DNA sequence: TTGAAAGCGCTAACAA
DNA sequence: TTGTTAGCGCTTTCAA
């Protein structure tokens, strides 16, 4: 296979000048006569010249590419986030390399190491459900590899983080169930290793508290693999339905679990079907078509991807090492629940809005 | 930022041998004593050595990365396909760089050129709805850049192609509507520039023919932007509903249009709502939750991604230039319609299964 | 303002 | 079996 793009030498030869002059014309601001510069640039454009990224990478120790690690691409939230990442990266001339952990720590680690070995200039990471050991990320970060975390972020690594306002989202979703008359509100969530699970739990509990409801341990079900397997969800729903007082409302903590719960509830097809209300985090834009209503908490996935990428590129292109890290929190939105917004102040949401991370 | 991974020289220095010996131990099969090889490999493993991809790319004119161009990531079909691409690429040690055309020809072109300028070793492409001019892809392909097309493939470029059995899928979906008693079966599809639109149209017409129904031009609606904008779909549905005999069944040609059509039909909430049957291509795994039933034609998106990647890597790693191209067709599946399969032979599906491409 | 030359990390042809 | 060396395409001193 002999596909060989034109290089700087080809331009130099064609224009009868030296390669270094071409290089300067294409990069430097001065040191080249305006005449030569135009000549070079025009010709480069004509033949659609692009610097060889490998050579550039070798020279500059930069690849103009960023690595992304998420648990799964085929997921509404993440595919939207990747879309946002791609948008910014594209704008700034970076490539995006996406890898999936499939919720496996081992796979995540391999991906990270693979990407980090100088293939990429920085990393955007959302942790897997299995991840406990952060030493690799920590050490990479300390070695100076720019890393931005989003969505599922670590507590104990100092880095830029982009998250949704998980507490508020969870709070509003649960309060919606309260306002709809639910008395026994369950919570279906993912592994509490994940920041999102912990944060959303706080919102859930706060809403119960505000409503004067007790928090009951047995109404909380964890799917440690985030619903990777539907069986996991069905078992959890099954346990909830077997409680002395089965729940009349369920707040679900993530995308996969939300739709998984709907599927699981289909199994319990009896008269109870119509009485259990559901509200949960999901970025599916198909909820409006569902038979059983699910009040969705929507995250600004696209914007989160954008923001994470902006922060990362800023980090990459910063001359001096950055020590002042920022946690950026984006709003969530409870769809189809106008009433929810009106009573925000009254219900003590304000103190809730303070992030845990800072 | 001073993140600098260990290199071959570091190993050489540590082990008191020459860099080239290290290189050989890490790559060659022979020319190195077993003792040295073990020493090197063990040490490399210990310090988690990874060859610098830029240097490798520069040397070998290979990047171990492949470029993907699709119209949109946040789409069931494509995110599943990318998942499949990623799986194979990962296995074979390749990175995947995904770019989106957003159905814009211009953007597609930029992406392709960007990727082609030696950033990647090969391309996996699904054409945008706008694409008419294939000269760029053609010339790249002729210059020896390995390219595999999938899903939306060009007619007049000689290359490996991976497609679904679009005719069969369309045929079965339409026949399902026939068997369900529909008399006026409309077809909502994307731009006929796209191979998938043309192929699915053939299946649709064949099913009408088999049922003894006439083909009526006005029952076919094209959304030239593939439903990028919901307004486009609503207008199309609107026109169908204004026909003297509004359709009692609609066969929809792609993922976005299928769910878009469901949304659009929600507008026409009257008594007609319950009488229009829908069947269409979609890889959403949420159709089971829908209020209005949609009989889905499912494509093996994941497998298509896998197959395309296998073909591409085969192409990349082939020593001699490949001239014998293959079109690989994967089956489609009509979900929840067992009856459909039983009568395949009788209904002349066989001749339909012969691909157009070969 | 321009050109020559070194070197980024690696491989491979050639020497030893 | 090992080491030396040149060179992949580019940027960047240093000289001219």
């Amino acid at each position: 296979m002999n596909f060989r793009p034109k290089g700087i030498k080809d331009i130099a030869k064609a224009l009868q000048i030296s390669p270094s002059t071409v290089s300067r014309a294409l990069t430097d601001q001065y040191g080249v006569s305006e005449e030569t510069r135009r000549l070079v640039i025009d010709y480069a454009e004509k033949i659609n010249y692009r610097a060889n990224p490998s050579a550039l990478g070798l020279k500059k120790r930069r690849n103009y590419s960023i690595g992304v690690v998420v648990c799964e691409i085929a997921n509404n939230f993440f595919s939207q986030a990747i879309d946002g990442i791609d948008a910014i990266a594209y704008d700034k001339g970076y490539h995006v390399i996406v890898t999936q952990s499939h919720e496996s720590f081992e796979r995540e680690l391999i991906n990270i190491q693979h990407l980090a070995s100088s293939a990429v200039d920085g990393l955007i990471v959302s942790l897997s459900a299995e991840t406990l050991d952060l030493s690799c990320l920590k050490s990479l970060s300390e070695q100076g590899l720019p890393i931005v975390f989003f969505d599922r972020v670590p507590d104990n690594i100092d880095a830029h983080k982009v998250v949704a306002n998980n507490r508020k989202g969870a709070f509003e979703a649960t309060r919606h169930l309260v306002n709809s008359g639910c008395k026994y509100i369950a919570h279906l969530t993912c592994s509490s290793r994940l920041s999102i699970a912990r944060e959303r739990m706080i919102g859930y509990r706060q809403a119960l508290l505000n409503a004067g409801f007790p928090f009951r341990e047995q109404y909380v079900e964890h799917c440690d693999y985030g619903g990777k397997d539907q069986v996991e969800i069905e078992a959890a729903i099954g346990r909830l339905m077997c409680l002395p007082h089965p729940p009349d409302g369920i707040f679900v903590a993530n995308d996969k679990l939300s739709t998984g719960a709907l599927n699981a509830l289909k199994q319990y097809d009896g008269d109870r079907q119509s009485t259990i209300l559901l509200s949960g985090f999901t970025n599916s834009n198909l909820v409006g078509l569902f038979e059983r209503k699910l009040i969705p908490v929507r995250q600004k996935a696209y914007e989160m991807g954008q923001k994470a990428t902006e922060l990362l590129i800023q980090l990459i292109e910063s001359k001096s090492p950055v020590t002042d890290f920022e946690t950026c929190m984006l709003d969530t939105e409870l769809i189809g629940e106008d009433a929810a917004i009106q009573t925000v102040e009254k219900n003590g949401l304000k103190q809730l809005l303070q992030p845990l991370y800072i």
Side-chain angles (χ1 to χ4, degrees), chain A:
Chain A
M1 309 282 51
N2 51 351
F3 175 74
R4 196 181 142 281
K6 301 257 168 283
I8 212 167
K9 279 186 189 166
D10 299 291
I11 300 182
K13 200 170 290 173
L15 265 42
Q16 304 271 41
I17 52 177
S18 85
S20 43
T21 305
V22 175
S23 170
R24 261 186 298 251
L26 258 22
T27 54
D28 281 347
Q29 297 301 0
Y30 40 70
V32 180
S33 74
E34 193 48 43
E35 197 192 338
T36 319
R37 140 170 279 104
R38 272 259 62 80
L39 210 65
V40 171
I41 290 183
D42 286 351
Y43 186 77
E45 217 144 72
K46 195 182 121 212
I47 67 163
N48 212 299
Y49 167 81
R50 298 247 151 203
N52 180 322
S54 292
L56 228 64
L58 194 53
K59 190 71 198 170
K60 308 262 233 131
R61 302 200 174 168
R62 286 266 299 285
N63 280 301
Y64 290 94
S65 70
I66 65 188
V68 177
V69 186
V70 296
C71 62
E72 198 185 17
I73 297 170
N75 168 304
N76 300 303
F77 174 77
F78 288 113
S79 62
Q80 288 164 31
I82 291 170
D83 203 355
I85 292 172
D86 190 63
I88 299 294
Y90 178 88
D91 253 26
K92 309 248 181 182
Y94 284 75
H95 277 308
V96 177
I97 299 174
V98 180
T99 64
Q100 310 180 73
S101 69
H102 296 288
E103 303 286 19
S104 145
F105 172 63
E106 189 198 340
R107 183 89 187 243
E108 178 179 280
L109 200 63
I110 293 175
N111 285 338
I112 289 170
Q113 289 178 337
H114 206 230
L115 291 169
S117 349
S118 91
V120 296
D121 303 327
L123 243 36
I124 296 180
V125 180
S126 170
L127 298 174
S128 92
E130 269 183 24
T131 305
L132 273 177
D133 180 9
L134 295 164
S135 54
C136 173
L137 282 164
K138 213 162 192 168
S139 105
L140 286 172
S141 171
E142 279 160 7
Q143 280 173 74
L145 180 72
I147 305 181
V148 174
F149 294 94
F150 83 108
D151 181 50
R152 300 142 162 228
V153 303
D155 280 342
N156 43 7
I157 295 186
D158 221 21
H160 286 324
K161 292 164 194 173
V162 177
V163 294
N165 194 334
N166 291 304
R167 297 191 196 183
K168 180 193 162 210
F171 179 87
E172 288 185 357
T174 310
R175 190 186 49 189
H176 167 72
L177 296 174
V178 170
N179 291 345
S180 304
C182 296
K183 297 292 174 206
Y184 294 89
I185 302 175
H187 180 30
L188 182 64
T189 187
C190 43
S191 167
S192 53
R193 291 172 184 182
L194 295 174
S195 58
I196 50 171
R198 296 193 300 270
E199 288 292 306
R200 290 169 194 177
M201 178 73 80
I202 292 173
Y204 163 72
R205 295 186 67 154
Q206 182 74 36
L208 291 186
L209 194 68
N210 278 26
F213 291 177
F215 170 76
R216 302 182 186 87
E217 201 65 69
Q218 67 273 33
Y219 280 82
V220 174
E221 281 290 340
H222 289 275
C223 290
D224 280 341
Y225 295 96
K228 212 171 83 180
D229 197 335
Q230 177 66 15
V231 175
E232 199 187 1
I233 303 174
E234 277 165 20
I237 292 286
R239 281 191 295 275
L240 289 176
M241 302 308 282
C242 290
L243 287 173
H245 278 282
D248 49 8
I250 309 179
F251 161 57
V252 194
N254 78 25
D255 212 308
K256 209 151 200 183
L257 292 178
S258 288
T259 51
L262 287 173
N263 271 317
L265 280 173
K266 270 203 134 180
Q267 318 289 347
Y268 289 80
D269 234 344
D271 34 17
R272 182 150 280 131
Q273 155 116 12
S274 48
T275 70
I276 302 180
L277 296 183
L278 247 74
S279 177
F281 277 75
T282 174
N283 268 47
S284 168
N285 32 33
L286 303 179
V287 282
L289 298 173
F290 290 172
E291 188 175 6
R292 174 194 283 273
K293 287 312 160 210
L294 167 71
I295 303 292
V297 180
R298 193 169 293 277
Q299 299 177 79
K300 299 187 189 297
Y302 185 85
E303 289 81 358
M304 286 172 71
Q306 286 187 307
K307 185 67 191 175
T309 313
E310 280 164 6
L311 287 171
L312 183 67
I313 291 178
Q314 197 179 296
L315 229 45
I316 291 171
E317 299 186 345
S318 148
K319 296 293 167 204
S320 55
V322 177
T323 51
D324 199 18
F325 295 108
E326 150 180 8
T327 291
C328 171
M329 186 182 286
L330 279 88
D331 207 10
T332 57
E333 200 184 349
L334 191 70
I335 307 287
E337 183 50 12
D338 303 321
I341 292 132
Q342 297 161 5
T343 45
V344 167
E345 264 73 21
K346 290 182 208 159
N347 288 332
L349 192 52
K350 264 195 180 150
Q351 86 240 25
L352 201 71
L353 296 183
Q354 322 247 354
L356 195 67
Y357 319 96
I358 298 171

